[in-house]
C-alpha cells in the first residue's frame, strides 16, 4: 500500500502528479503547511525533517520528489514515467 503525504500547491504536487500518472493505488494524506501540520509530532514521525512530500511504501518512507518520482518510474514501468535507456534515465533524474 502506498501513502502520499503532500501539501496542495507546494512542490510536493510533482509527486502527486507522478503517482496519479503511475496508475498506482494510493491513499492521499494532505499536510497543510500554512497550518503548521508538518511540525506536528505525528508528521515528524513520518518525516523528521518536517517536509513534504513523503511516500509510505509498506511501512517504509521515501522522501524528496526526486527519490519518489524515480521510485514510481521504476515500480510502474508500464506508465512510461522513466526512460528505459540508462543514459536517458540518468538525464531524466538530473532534470528532476
Amino acid at each position: 500500500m502506498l501513502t502520499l503525504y503532500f501539501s496542495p500547491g507546494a512542490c510536493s504536487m510533482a509527486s502527486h502528479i507522478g503517482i496519479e500518472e503511475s496508475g498506482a493505488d494510493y491513499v492521499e494524506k494532505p499536510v497543510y503547511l500554512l497550518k503548521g501540520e508538518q511540525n506536528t509530532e505525528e508528521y515528524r514521525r513520518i518525516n523528521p525533517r518536517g517536509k513534504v512530500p513523503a511516500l509510505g511504501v509498506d511501512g517504509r518512507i521515501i522522501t524528496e520528489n526526486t527519490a519518489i518520482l524515480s521510485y514510481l518510474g521504476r515500480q510502474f514501468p508500464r506508465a512510461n514515467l522513466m526512460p528505459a535507456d540508462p543514459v536517458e534515465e540518468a538525464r531524466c533524474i538530473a532534470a528532476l
Side-chain angles (χ1 to χ4, degrees), residues 1-16:
M1 172 55 81
L2 300 176
T3 303
L4 180 66
Y5 300 88
F6 72 102
S7 185
C11 69
S12 58
M13 287 304 292
S15 288
H16 196 208

Side-chain angles (χ1 to χ4, degrees), residues 29-77:
K29 296 283 185 164
V31 178
Y32 296 102
L33 301 179
L34 293 177
K35 293 182 180 180
E37 291 179 358
Q38 74 277 18
N39 296 317
T40 64
E41 188 177 318
E42 178 184 2
Y43 188 70
R44 289 290 181 139
R45 282 193 294 266
I46 294 159
N47 186 352
R49 294 174 57 205
K51 297 187 179 216
V52 291
L55 181 67
V57 181
D58 296 325
R60 298 182 291 171
I61 298 293
I62 302 170
T63 62
E64 302 296 333
N65 277 318
T66 303
I68 292 168
L69 293 169
S70 296
Y71 168 82
L72 293 171
R74 287 178 176 261
Q75 190 65 24
F76 302 97

